[in-house]
Amino acid sequence: LCCFQLYGYCYQDSNDIPDTLTTITELGSPLEMIQLLQTSWEDRFRICLSLVRLLHYLAHSPLGSVTLLDFRPRQFVIVDGELKVTDLDDASVEESSCTSNSDCFMEFPARNFTLPCSVDGRCQSMNEKRNLYNAYRFFFTYLLPHSAPSSLRPLLDKIVNATGNHNKHVICTEYLALELSPSPSVNSEFTQKCVKSANTHKSDSFYRRVPEAFIPDENYRCWPSYHHKGCLLSVFDVNEAIEICDSYSQCKAFVLTNQTTWTGRQLVFFKMASNHIVPDPDKITYVKVTD
């Protein structure tokens, strides 16, 4: 789940090309952080979930605790919305040897850490904590808090701050996995909690429900959007759609589709007018009623 899936390999040993191993793996897209920051928070949350699974696997692999010495975005790709590591050349299962705590010094651009030296002469959990801090400084600190649902921000701030602070012994990969990993069902209680905004908004507007109807035009652009030519966002329910429409001055109507995101949230088109409504059995339109 965390690394590239291997479909096949071929070993070739000839006079022209000796000792050559060719592998065939699944195809992924290069990870571009700027593009990720322009996607929806749900998509970025999904990437962080896959990174948590990777951290958990590296800490408990059959070979022992594995560290990625070159833990940078360029070593990862996106496959069907999931983050996967592609380059394992710099992976290591050796925990650093030591004679005292001063030998267990980890240096990063923003801060440094000193870990305890165990009785058997190994730096305790150095591999795991190196991966964790690199995940914090390259991924979590950018992808998790940005545009997150307001109801989830306290938990996300707690997680981001904890991953960047190795001095607290309560922080480990298992903690992250416990906090973030949902059940296999995308409709689980946790997933609903994480993607549901706090619906405390009380709308002063009134919306008229038009079943089996769609507005084909009257698009405007918003950010982030699942559609580059319009405003297509995900919502937990109609109340959240009303809250979003009320927050845009140009929004005069919205259309509920029968499409959902990976977490089960419904995709909704937001429109700047409702002059032309056409029949569509798979959609429901809500039109803002003005005085």
Side-chain angles (χ1 to χ4, degrees):
L1 295 175
C2 304
C3 303
F4 255 14
Q5 182 176 350
L6 179 66
Y7 290 127
Y9 62 91
C10 177
Y11 175 76
Q12 183 177 359
D13 187 6
S14 64
N15 294 330
D16 297 331
I17 310 177
D19 300 329
T20 299
L21 180 66
T22 302
T23 61
I24 303 173
T25 64
E26 60 185 329
L27 182 63
S29 302
L31 192 152
E32 299 289 343
M33 192 61 67
I34 294 179
Q35 293 180 2
L36 284 182
L37 291 175
Q38 296 174 346
T39 62
S40 70
W41 182 84
E42 274 185 279
D43 290 341
R44 285 182 273 118
F45 175 67
R46 185 180 186 183
I47 290 172
C48 289
L49 280 177
S50 57
L51 180 55
V52 168
R53 298 186 188 105
L54 172 62
L55 291 172
H56 186 79
Y57 177 79
L58 292 175
H60 304 89
S61 80
L63 300 176
S65 181
V66 180
T67 187
L68 301 179
L69 299 177
D70 192 11
F71 198 117
R72 286 182 287 181
R74 69 182 185 183
Q75 305 291 353
F76 297 85
V77 296
I78 303 296
V79 179
D80 295 330
E82 302 279 346
L83 187 73
K84 296 194 176 184
V85 62
T86 62
D87 191 351
L88 296 175
D89 292 345
D90 296 313
S92 174
V93 296
E94 294 293 330
E95 295 278 16
S96 299
S97 59
C98 59
T99 57
S100 65
N101 291 350
S102 60
D103 295 328
C104 302
F105 181 74
M106 290 197 303
E107 184 176 7
F108 296 97
R111 63 180 305 178
N112 304 321
F113 302 95
T114 299
L115 302 179
C117 179
S118 66
V119 293
D120 59 351
R122 296 290 177 180
C123 297
Q124 292 183 12
S125 305
M126 178 170 278
N127 286 348
E128 180 179 2
K129 292 189 175 183
R130 180 185 288 112
N131 290 337
L132 188 60
Y133 189 78
N134 280 327
Y136 157 78
R137 70 189 185 107
F138 285 122
F139 293 96
F140 292 137
T141 190
Y142 298 109
L143 300 182
L144 273 180
H146 184 59
S147 301
S150 57
S151 59
L152 195 58
R153 284 173 188 165
L155 173 61
L156 295 177
D157 289 340
K158 176 183 176 182
I159 291 174
V160 171
N161 291 334
T163 56
N165 187 357
H166 282 172
N167 294 330
K168 297 180 180 179
H169 297 293
V170 296
I171 305 306
C172 58
T173 305
E174 289 86 352
Y175 165 80
L176 284 175
L178 178 63
E179 291 282 8
L180 286 180
S181 295
S183 70
S185 170
V186 296
N187 292 319
S188 67
E189 179 181 355
F190 171 83
T191 304
Q192 295 293 355
K193 175 184 176 182
C194 286
V195 299
K196 179 179 180 180
S197 297
N199 290 321
T200 57
H201 172 78
K202 299 298 182 181
S203 176
D204 295 329
S205 305
F206 176 74
Y207 288 81
R208 177 169 56 91
R209 185 176 184 272
V210 185
E212 299 185 355
F214 179 61
I215 304 174
D217 302 312
E218 309 294 351
N219 291 313
Y220 66 90
R221 294 183 179 181
C222 66
W223 181 89
S225 174
Y226 286 91
H227 194 282
H228 68 282
K229 291 185 178 180
C231 187
L232 180 62
L233 304 174
S234 68
V235 302
F236 181 79
D237 55 18
V238 174
N239 290 331
E240 187 176 349
I242 292 174
E243 178 181 354
I244 293 174
C245 191
D246 285 349
S247 68
Y248 287 96
S249 59
Q250 63 267 53
C251 183
K252 304 301 179 185
F254 59 87
V255 181
L256 300 180
T257 72
N258 61 353
Q259 296 176 296
T260 59
T261 65
W262 70 280
T263 59
R265 283 169 63 92
Q266 194 169 11
L267 290 177
V268 176
F269 279 105
F270 293 89
K271 304 288 184 173
M272 61 182 180
S274 57
N275 299 324
H276 181 48
I277 299 179
V278 300
D280 191 322
D282 297 324
K283 297 179 178 64
I284 301 174
T285 293
Y286 285 79
V287 178
K288 182 183 291 188
V289 178
T290 56
D291 294 334

